[in-house]
Amino acid sequence: MITGATSGIGEACARRFARGGYRLVLTGRNEEKLNTLREELAAVGAEVVTLAFDVRDREAATVALSSLKEAPDVLINNAGLALGLEKEYEGSYDDWDTMIDTNIKGLLTVTRTVVPRMVERGCGHIINIGSVAGDAAYANGNVYCATKAAVKALSDGLRIDLAETPLRVTNVKPGLVETNFSRTRFHGDQQRADNVYRGIKPLTGDDIADVCFYAAEAPAHVQIAEVLVLATHQANGTVIHRVTR
């Protein structure tokens, strides 16, 4: 089961796990995109169920997820976004609410609804998509960084709470990944988005999907707790070597 499956890392995970023989439950806000992806994957033999809802809507999310006949073997909490790049004292309240409601509260809603059924069944793997931004704040990233720090804390806390069970928890923390992430952050400004990746070969959604698949396919006694994935010329959230011509 993959949240936020209609673009970026979520869409790449859908394709990677389909190739790996998994049956898929794909969720997202855009029903048309979900249906298009389902048809694409079904054409290559994948069994796909789609659920259209916004993780910020707790009631809709709970109703949709409760309709599933069984708990997934793997849950990828991918739905998330960044909005704005302003100083904390100049930020947008609306942007803050959207990030907090999606990146933190949405993740909690899905976890709270799905994981109890995993525990009851006695197996399961939760993969949360965090970020290098959760390790340390960077300039003007304040609230987004805080939400991804929360994803790290929630992943660690869930792993502790599940230690007496066979369930596993993984926090995957990407650095620069060229998806629609920056275009969304800059409210559709493609030029600003392109500048984020200028002078460096960034990661792709496929790179992160490969990491998620590796963690999911590890032997049952192996728990990949946390993975920081960076482009070769990115050292951390702020140190990036760019080639200029």
Side-chain angles (χ1 to χ4, degrees):
M1 175 177 183
I2 304 164
T3 68
T6 56
S7 65
I9 293 171
E11 184 177 358
C13 283
R15 293 194 173 97
R16 181 66 187 88
F17 279 78
R19 291 200 307 274
Y22 280 75
R23 293 177 294 144
L24 300 175
V25 177
L26 306 180
T27 85
R29 292 177 295 169
N30 190 315
E31 186 170 9
E32 183 178 352
K33 287 185 177 180
L34 283 174
N35 291 337
T36 299
L37 183 58
R38 179 183 61 198
E39 291 171 5
E40 173 196 326
L41 297 178
V44 295
E47 183 178 338
V48 183
V49 172
T50 59
L51 298 173
F53 63 87
D54 189 332
V55 295
R56 295 177 296 172
D57 185 336
R58 182 171 295 161
E59 182 177 358
T62 301
V63 169
L65 296 172
S66 297
S67 70
L68 296 173
K69 295 181 179 179
E70 58 182 346
D73 297 301
V74 179
L75 165 63
I76 302 180
N77 274 316
N78 166 73
L81 76 169
L83 289 172
L85 195 67
E86 296 85 25
K87 295 182 185 298
E88 189 169 324
Y89 58 85
E90 297 175 339
S92 161
Y93 289 112
D94 290 340
D95 285 353
W96 293 353
D97 286 343
T98 300
M99 286 187 285
I100 292 168
D101 289 347
T102 304
N103 300 359
I104 302 176
K105 294 166 69 177
L107 180 147
L108 282 170
T109 294
V110 175
T111 299
R112 180 65 181 84
T113 306
V114 174
V115 174
R117 298 175 70 182
M118 289 179 160
V119 173
E120 183 179 359
R121 194 179 63 180
C123 68
H125 191 165
I126 302 94
I127 300 175
N128 292 332
I129 304 299
S131 171
V132 64
D135 286 347
Y138 54 75
N140 302 325
N142 40 79
V143 173
Y144 174 70
C145 293
T147 65
K148 290 304 184 178
V151 171
K152 172 177 170 54
L154 292 170
S155 301
D156 291 345
L158 183 61
R159 194 178 305 109
I160 293 167
D161 293 338
L162 292 172
E164 63 186 16
T165 78
L167 276 68
R168 302 182 293 182
V169 179
T170 299
N171 180 20
V172 177
K173 305 184 300 183
L176 282 176
V177 183
E178 189 168 14
T179 61
N180 63 349
F181 174 88
S182 291
R183 186 170 63 250
T184 299
R185 162 169 263 175
F186 297 128
H187 299 282
D189 188 330
Q190 188 62 54
Q191 184 174 356
R192 287 188 72 187
D194 290 343
N195 284 337
V196 172
Y197 311 107
R198 177 182 47 80
I200 185 172
K201 183 173 182 178
L203 302 168
T204 68
D206 291 337
D207 296 324
I208 307 306
D210 284 340
V211 173
C212 293
F213 190 81
Y214 175 83
E217 288 291 292
H221 71 286
V222 177
Q223 180 172 212
I224 309 297
E226 188 170 285
V227 186
L228 176 63
V229 192
L230 303 173
T232 297
H233 292 293
Q234 179 179 15
N236 56 31
T238 58
V239 177
I240 300 170
H241 174 69
R242 300 181 188 271
V243 176
T244 57
R245 294 181 181 178

